[in-house]
Amino acid sequence: MPQHIKRLIIAFSLFLALFLVLRQVLRPESFGELGHFRAKAIPENAMRPMHYTVTDSCTKCHGGIRSEKDKGFHKNLKCEVCHGPGLKHATYAGQFKNGALPDSLKLYKPGERKDCIICHQLNAARIKIQFDTINTTMIHQIDPVKHNPGDPDTKEAFKCIDCHSPHQP
Ligand code: HEC
Ligand code: HEC
Ligand code: HEC
Ligand code: HEC
């Protein structure tokens, strides 16, 4: 066998040996048990604390808002999309029916223009709604610079919720 082929074989064997050693050392213990990933990742993620609940759990105490919302354009939005993670609130707020909620249980009330613009900002790359139909899968866009920016006399900025009810816009 020519000399250079022998050297190649030696070099490749060394690399293969190195690879096998490294693979043994670096491979996570549960890798491969359930496919091409670490099986322990599942229980690890399941152990993380939960922050979100489901809209139905809000309905228990805020049924009025739920039925108001379900009649309007925002019917497909979940409460927590706007108000943030609410599991802790939904679990404990019931104990404060008569008093004010402690700060740690208060949820965000997205009343500023920026909160609505996140979804309604005019975006040339988004599909435009061509016909004036209620289609809750596509979002009507407004140009926030032109759409009722503020009081022309006092120059004070309007909030979107001055004119639109957030639960039934
Ligand atoms: C066990 C009853 C209960 C459940 C379930 C519940 N809430 Fe509340 N919520 C309350 C009470 C009590 C208050 C304080 C008094 C009030 O504003 O009505 C409150 C207040 C709020 C407020 C106003 C907070 C503030 O800072 O003024 C928001 C927003 C809210 N809830 C959203 C939600 C959302 C979203 C859910 C579902 C994730 C939810 N709630 C589930 C009882 C509940
Ligand atoms: C589009 C975003 C949006 C969604 C979706 C939404 N909310 Fe709200 N919610 C708001 C805003 C904005 C306010 C503040 C209104 C204000 O300050 O007048 C608010 C206020 C509230 C309040 C305080 C009461 C009040 O009238 O100030 C409660 C309670 C509440 N929301 C519950 C809910 C529940 C329950 C759901 C789901 C059924 C929900 N919200 C869905 C935006 C939203
Ligand atoms: C998470 C995304 C999201 C947020 C945040 C949001 N919206 Fe909407 N909005 C929608 C969707 C989806 C619809 C239904 C499709 C449509 O009609 O544009 C809608 C519909 C509307 C409509 C009816 C448009 C029409 O067809 O006449 C108005 C008005 C509106 N939203 C105002 C608001 C206001 C005010 C806020 C802030 C409090 C807000 N939205 C926050 C997603 C959102
Ligand atoms: C001064 C009152 C006022 C304010 C403030 C206001 N709007 Fe409106 N909005 C209206 C009226 C009236 C209409 C319906 C007529 C029209 O299309 O202009 C409308 C229509 C809409 C529509 C539907 C547009 C369409 O294509 O059918 C959306 C979405 C909307 N507004 C979102 C918002 C958002 C988001 C904000 C805050 C950045 C906001 N509005 C602030 C009064 C207001």
Side-chain angles (χ1 to χ4, degrees):
M1 194 186 286
Q3 191 72 330
H4 66 282
I5 300 285
K6 279 189 199 151
R7 288 191 184 139
L8 257 184
I9 290 174
I10 292 173
F12 270 106
S13 323
L14 284 176
F15 276 124
L16 186 66
L18 183 68
F19 168 75
L20 289 174
V21 170
L22 283 180
R23 179 174 182 275
Q24 209 52 39
V25 176
L26 298 178
R27 193 178 73 134
E29 199 196 316
S30 62
F31 182 84
E33 277 170 27
L34 295 174
H36 199 77
F37 63 91
R38 214 163 43 83
K40 286 233 173 90
I42 297 172
E44 267 171 38
N45 277 303
M47 268 161 55
R48 287 160 62 171
M50 296 208 291
H51 299 290
Y52 286 89
T53 174
V54 289
T55 293
D56 282 345
S57 78
C58 313
T59 312
K60 232 180 2 182
C61 305
H62 303 293
I65 292 180
R66 172 76 187 271
S67 41
E68 192 189 334
K69 190 177 77 65
D70 284 357
K71 283 188 219 111
F73 282 99
H74 279 168
K75 64 170 179 248
N76 286 347
L77 301 188
K78 307 285 172 229
C79 313
E80 289 169 301
V81 165
C82 290
H83 289 293
L87 178 61
K88 208 161 98 187
H89 172 95
T91 313
Y92 299 111
Q95 301 167 14
F96 298 89
K97 280 233 154 66
N98 307 313
L101 288 182
D103 281 350
S104 63
L105 287 186
K106 278 196 181 140
L107 291 181
Y108 180 55
K109 290 203 241 174
E112 301 301 322
R113 286 178 78 88
K114 66 172 170 54
D115 298 318
C116 311
I117 287 168
I118 288 180
C119 292
H120 287 288
Q121 163 93 289
L122 182 69
N123 179 341
R126 269 196 206 150
I127 302 169
K128 300 278 175 302
I129 300 182
Q130 300 284 358
F131 307 102
D132 196 19
T133 50
I134 299 176
N135 182 338
T136 51
T137 56
M138 290 185 281
I139 300 181
H140 276 95
Q141 305 166 22
I142 49 111
D143 181 347
V145 179
K146 295 196 189 119
H147 184 77
N148 304 308
D151 190 325
D153 299 327
T154 64
K155 300 269 183 283
E156 214 173 297
F158 287 137
K159 291 180 173 177
C160 313
I161 57 171
D162 290 343
C163 305
H164 301 281
S165 148
H167 300 133
Q168 210 180 76

mmCIF file with all atom_site columns, all heavy atoms in Angstrom, residues 138-151:
data_model
loop_
_atom_site.group_PDB
_atom_site.id
_atom_site.type_symbol
_atom_site.label_atom_id
_atom_site.label_alt_id
_atom_site.label_comp_id
_atom_site.label_asym_id
_atom_site.label_entity_id
_atom_site.label_seq_id
_atom_site.pdbx_PDB_ins_code
_atom_site.Cartn_x
_atom_site.Cartn_y
_atom_site.Cartn_z
_atom_site.occupancy
_atom_site.B_iso_or_equiv
_atom_site.pdbx_formal_charge
_atom_site.auth_seq_id
_atom_site.auth_comp_id
_atom_site.auth_asym_id
_atom_site.auth_atom_id
_atom_site.pdbx_PDB_model_num
ATOM 1   N N   . MET A 1 138 ? -57.738 38.378 9.999  1.00 0.00 ? 138 MET A N   1
ATOM 2   C CA  . MET A 1 138 ? -56.832 39.404 9.504  1.00 0.00 ? 138 MET A CA  1
ATOM 3   C C   . MET A 1 138 ? -57.095 40.693 10.270 1.00 0.00 ? 138 MET A C   1
ATOM 4   O O   . MET A 1 138 ? -58.234 41.029 10.551 1.00 0.00 ? 138 MET A O   1
ATOM 5   C CB  . MET A 1 138 ? -57.050 39.615 8.011  1.00 0.00 ? 138 MET A CB  1
ATOM 6   C CG  . MET A 1 138 ? -56.565 38.436 7.198  1.00 0.00 ? 138 MET A CG  1
ATOM 7   S SD  . MET A 1 138 ? -56.678 38.738 5.449  1.00 0.00 ? 138 MET A SD  1
ATOM 8   C CE  . MET A 1 138 ? -58.399 38.444 5.144  1.00 0.00 ? 138 MET A CE  1
ATOM 9   N N   . ILE A 1 139 ? -56.065 41.413 10.574 1.00 0.00 ? 139 ILE A N   1
ATOM 10  C CA  . ILE A 1 139 ? -56.225 42.555 11.464 1.00 0.00 ? 139 ILE A CA  1
ATOM 11  C C   . ILE A 1 139 ? -56.304 43.853 10.664 1.00 0.00 ? 139 ILE A C   1
ATOM 12  O O   . ILE A 1 139 ? -55.459 44.124 9.811  1.00 0.00 ? 139 ILE A O   1
ATOM 13  C CB  . ILE A 1 139 ? -55.046 42.599 12.455 1.00 0.00 ? 139 ILE A CB  1
ATOM 14  C CG1 . ILE A 1 139 ? -55.020 41.310 13.276 1.00 0.00 ? 139 ILE A CG1 1
ATOM 15  C CG2 . ILE A 1 139 ? -55.155 43.809 13.347 1.00 0.00 ? 139 ILE A CG2 1
ATOM 16  C CD1 . ILE A 1 139 ? -53.917 41.256 14.299 1.00 0.00 ? 139 ILE A CD1 1
ATOM 17  N N   . HIS A 1 140 ? -57.336 44.647 10.952 1.00 0.00 ? 140 HIS A N   1
ATOM 18  C CA  . HIS A 1 140 ? -57.430 45.962 10.317 1.00 0.00 ? 140 HIS A CA  1
ATOM 19  C C   . HIS A 1 140 ? -56.273 46.830 10.787 1.00 0.00 ? 140 HIS A C   1
ATOM 20  O O   . HIS A 1 140 ? -55.973 46.899 11.975 1.00 0.00 ? 140 HIS A O   1
ATOM 21  C CB  . HIS A 1 140 ? -58.748 46.635 10.678 1.00 0.00 ? 140 HIS A CB  1
ATOM 22  C CG  . HIS A 1 140 ? -59.879 46.205 9.798  1.00 0.00 ? 140 HIS A CG  1
ATOM 23  N ND1 . HIS A 1 140 ? -60.738 45.188 10.140 1.00 0.00 ? 140 HIS A ND1 1
ATOM 24  C CD2 . HIS A 1 140 ? -60.284 46.649 8.586  1.00 0.00 ? 140 HIS A CD2 1
ATOM 25  C CE1 . HIS A 1 140 ? -61.636 45.020 9.170  1.00 0.00 ? 140 HIS A CE1 1
ATOM 26  N NE2 . HIS A 1 140 ? -61.369 45.895 8.221  1.00 0.00 ? 140 HIS A NE2 1
ATOM 27  N N   . GLN A 1 141 ? -55.657 47.499 9.816  1.00 0.00 ? 141 GLN A N   1
ATOM 28  C CA  . GLN A 1 141 ? -54.488 48.298 10.154 1.00 0.00 ? 141 GLN A CA  1
ATOM 29  C C   . GLN A 1 141 ? -54.811 49.782 10.081 1.00 0.00 ? 141 GLN A C   1
ATOM 30  O O   . GLN A 1 141 ? -55.576 50.219 9.240  1.00 0.00 ? 141 GLN A O   1
ATOM 31  C CB  . GLN A 1 141 ? -53.361 47.999 9.164  1.00 0.00 ? 141 GLN A CB  1
ATOM 32  C CG  . GLN A 1 141 ? -53.032 46.528 9.096  1.00 0.00 ? 141 GLN A CG  1
ATOM 33  C CD  . GLN A 1 141 ? -52.181 46.209 7.889  1.00 0.00 ? 141 GLN A CD  1
ATOM 34  O OE1 . GLN A 1 141 ? -51.517 47.070 7.327  1.00 0.00 ? 141 GLN A OE1 1
ATOM 35  N NE2 . GLN A 1 141 ? -52.201 44.961 7.473  1.00 0.00 ? 141 GLN A NE2 1
ATOM 36  N N   . ILE A 1 142 ? -54.225 50.534 10.968 1.00 0.00 ? 142 ILE A N   1
ATOM 37  C CA  . ILE A 1 142 ? -54.362 51.986 10.907 1.00 0.00 ? 142 ILE A CA  1
ATOM 38  C C   . ILE A 1 142 ? -52.967 52.595 10.935 1.00 0.00 ? 142 ILE A C   1
ATOM 39  O O   . ILE A 1 142 ? -52.021 51.977 11.417 1.00 0.00 ? 142 ILE A O   1
ATOM 40  C CB  . ILE A 1 142 ? -55.211 52.541 12.067 1.00 0.00 ? 142 ILE A CB  1
ATOM 41  C CG1 . ILE A 1 142 ? -54.747 51.972 13.403 1.00 0.00 ? 142 ILE A CG1 1
ATOM 42  C CG2 . ILE A 1 142 ? -56.684 52.240 11.880 1.00 0.00 ? 142 ILE A CG2 1
ATOM 43  C CD1 . ILE A 1 142 ? -54.110 52.896 14.301 1.00 0.00 ? 142 ILE A CD1 1
ATOM 44  N N   . ASP A 1 143 ? -52.874 53.795 10.393 1.00 0.00 ? 143 ASP A N   1
ATOM 45  C CA  . ASP A 1 143 ? -51.604 54.513 10.490 1.00 0.00 ? 143 ASP A CA  1
ATOM 46  C C   . ASP A 1 143 ? -51.674 55.362 11.762 1.00 0.00 ? 143 ASP A C   1
ATOM 47  O O   . ASP A 1 143 ? -52.410 56.346 11.816 1.00 0.00 ? 143 ASP A O   1
ATOM 48  C CB  . ASP A 1 143 ? -51.442 55.402 9.247  1.00 0.00 ? 143 ASP A CB  1
ATOM 49  C CG  . ASP A 1 143 ? -50.126 56.153 9.279  1.00 0.00 ? 143 ASP A CG  1
ATOM 50  O OD1 . ASP A 1 143 ? -49.478 56.176 10.351 1.00 0.00 ? 143 ASP A OD1 1
ATOM 51  O OD2 . ASP A 1 143 ? -49.748 56.717 8.239  1.00 0.00 ? 143 ASP A OD2 1
ATOM 52  N N   . PRO A 1 144 ? -50.956 54.982 12.791 1.00 0.00 ? 144 PRO A N   1
ATOM 53  C CA  . PRO A 1 144 ? -51.105 55.655 14.087 1.00 0.00 ? 144 PRO A CA  1
ATOM 54  C C   . PRO A 1 144 ? -50.733 57.138 14.041 1.00 0.00 ? 144 PRO A C   1
ATOM 55  O O   . PRO A 1 144 ? -51.160 57.906 14.901 1.00 0.00 ? 144 PRO A O   1
ATOM 56  C CB  . PRO A 1 144 ? -50.172 54.881 15.021 1.00 0.00 ? 144 PRO A CB  1
ATOM 57  C CG  . PRO A 1 144 ? -49.308 54.056 14.160 1.00 0.00 ? 144 PRO A CG  1
ATOM 58  C CD  . PRO A 1 144 ? -49.984 53.886 12.848 1.00 0.00 ? 144 PRO A CD  1
ATOM 59  N N   . VAL A 1 145 ? -49.967 57.535 13.037 1.00 0.00 ? 145 VAL A N   1
ATOM 60  C CA  . VAL A 1 145 ? -49.631 58.951 12.940 1.00 0.00 ? 145 VAL A CA  1
ATOM 61  C C   . VAL A 1 145 ? -50.840 59.749 12.444 1.00 0.00 ? 145 VAL A C   1
ATOM 62  O O   . VAL A 1 145 ? -51.046 60.903 12.815 1.00 0.00 ? 145 VAL A O   1
ATOM 63  C CB  . VAL A 1 145 ? -48.421 59.150 11.999 1.00 0.00 ? 145 VAL A CB  1
ATOM 64  C CG1 . VAL A 1 145 ? -48.071 60.621 11.868 1.00 0.00 ? 145 VAL A CG1 1
ATOM 65  C CG2 . VAL A 1 145 ? -47.232 58.348 12.491 1.00 0.00 ? 145 VAL A CG2 1
ATOM 66  N N   . LYS A 1 146 ? -51.679 59.097 11.612 1.00 0.00 ? 146 LYS A N   1
ATOM 67  C CA  . LYS A 1 146 ? -52.812 59.812 11.012 1.00 0.00 ? 146 LYS A CA  1
ATOM 68  C C   . LYS A 1 146 ? -54.130 59.510 11.712 1.00 0.00 ? 146 LYS A C   1
ATOM 69  O O   . LYS A 1 146 ? -55.052 60.322 11.674 1.00 0.00 ? 146 LYS A O   1
ATOM 70  C CB  . LYS A 1 146 ? -52.946 59.419 9.526  1.00 0.00 ? 146 LYS A CB  1
ATOM 71  C CG  . LYS A 1 146 ? -51.759 59.863 8.693  1.00 0.00 ? 146 LYS A CG  1
ATOM 72  C CD  . LYS A 1 146 ? -52.110 59.820 7.208  1.00 0.00 ? 146 LYS A CD  1
ATOM 73  C CE  . LYS A 1 146 ? -50.885 60.056 6.334  1.00 0.00 ? 146 LYS A CE  1
ATOM 74  N NZ  . LYS A 1 146 ? -50.604 58.905 5.458  1.00 0.00 ? 146 LYS A NZ  1
ATOM 75  N N   . HIS A 1 147 ? -54.258 58.325 12.308 1.00 0.00 ? 147 HIS A N   1
ATOM 76  C CA  . HIS A 1 147 ? -55.545 57.910 12.862 1.00 0.00 ? 147 HIS A CA  1
ATOM 77  C C   . HIS A 1 147 ? -55.758 58.535 14.252 1.00 0.00 ? 147 HIS A C   1
ATOM 78  O O   . HIS A 1 147 ? -55.261 58.019 15.251 1.00 0.00 ? 147 HIS A O   1
ATOM 79  C CB  . HIS A 1 147 ? -55.628 56.382 12.933 1.00 0.00 ? 147 HIS A CB  1
ATOM 80  C CG  . HIS A 1 147 ? -56.956 55.857 13.395 1.00 0.00 ? 147 HIS A CG  1
ATOM 81  N ND1 . HIS A 1 147 ? -58.068 55.803 12.587 1.00 0.00 ? 147 HIS A ND1 1
ATOM 82  C CD2 . HIS A 1 147 ? -57.354 55.390 14.593 1.00 0.00 ? 147 HIS A CD2 1
ATOM 83  C CE1 . HIS A 1 147 ? -59.088 55.316 13.271 1.00 0.00 ? 147 HIS A CE1 1
ATOM 84  N NE2 . HIS A 1 147 ? -58.684 55.061 14.496 1.00 0.00 ? 147 HIS A NE2 1
ATOM 85  N N   . ASN A 1 148 ? -56.491 59.620 14.287 1.00 0.00 ? 148 ASN A N   1
ATOM 86  C CA  . ASN A 1 148 ? -56.836 60.298 15.542 1.00 0.00 ? 148 ASN A CA  1
ATOM 87  C C   . ASN A 1 148 ? -55.672 60.389 16.534 1.00 0.00 ? 148 ASN A C   1
ATOM 88  O O   . ASN A 1 148 ? -55.759 59.883 17.642 1.00 0.00 ? 148 ASN A O   1
ATOM 89  C CB  . ASN A 1 148 ? -58.011 59.586 16.221 1.00 0.00 ? 148 ASN A CB  1
ATOM 90  C CG  . ASN A 1 148 ? -59.209 59.492 15.310 1.00 0.00 ? 148 ASN A CG  1
ATOM 91  O OD1 . ASN A 1 148 ? -59.646 60.494 14.755 1.00 0.00 ? 148 ASN A OD1 1
ATOM 92  N ND2 . ASN A 1 148 ? -59.729 58.309 15.132 1.00 0.00 ? 148 ASN A ND2 1
ATOM 93  N N   . PRO A 1 149 ? -54.587 61.055 16.118 1.00 0.00 ? 149 PRO A N   1
ATOM 94  C CA  . PRO A 1 149 ? -53.432 61.082 17.025 1.00 0.00 ? 149 PRO A CA  1
ATOM 95  C C   . PRO A 1 149 ? -53.686 61.897 18.285 1.00 0.00 ? 149 PRO A C   1
ATOM 96  O O   . PRO A 1 149 ? -53.182 61.549 19.348 1.00 0.00 ? 149 PRO A O   1
ATOM 97  C CB  . PRO A 1 149 ? -52.332 61.713 16.177 1.00 0.00 ? 149 PRO A CB  1
ATOM 98  C CG  . PRO A 1 149 ? -53.028 62.458 15.096 1.00 0.00 ? 149 PRO A CG  1
ATOM 99  C CD  . PRO A 1 149 ? -54.328 61.759 14.854 1.00 0.00 ? 149 PRO A CD  1
ATOM 100 N N   . GLY A 1 150 ? -54.453 62.971 18.169 1.00 0.00 ? 150 GLY A N   1
ATOM 101 C CA  . GLY A 1 150 ? -54.642 63.766 19.382 1.00 0.00 ? 150 GLY A CA  1
ATOM 102 C C   . GLY A 1 150 ? -55.593 64.921 19.151 1.00 0.00 ? 150 GLY A C   1
ATOM 103 O O   . GLY A 1 150 ? -56.086 65.133 18.046 1.00 0.00 ? 150 GLY A O   1
ATOM 104 N N   . ASP A 1 151 ? -55.831 65.661 20.207 1.00 0.00 ? 151 ASP A N   1
ATOM 105 C CA  . ASP A 1 151 ? -56.726 66.810 20.149 1.00 0.00 ? 151 ASP A CA  1
ATOM 106 C C   . ASP A 1 151 ? -56.030 67.947 19.394 1.00 0.00 ? 151 ASP A C   1
ATOM 107 O O   . ASP A 1 151 ? -54.964 68.397 19.808 1.00 0.00 ? 151 ASP A O   1
ATOM 108 C CB  . ASP A 1 151 ? -57.050 67.228 21.587 1.00 0.00 ? 151 ASP A CB  1
ATOM 109 C CG  . ASP A 1 151 ? -58.152 68.262 21.624 1.00 0.00 ? 151 ASP A CG  1
ATOM 110 O OD1 . ASP A 1 151 ? -58.200 69.108 20.697 1.00 0.00 ? 151 ASP A OD1 1
ATOM 111 O OD2 . ASP A 1 151 ? -58.967 68.223 22.562 1.00 0.00 ? 151 ASP A OD2 1
#
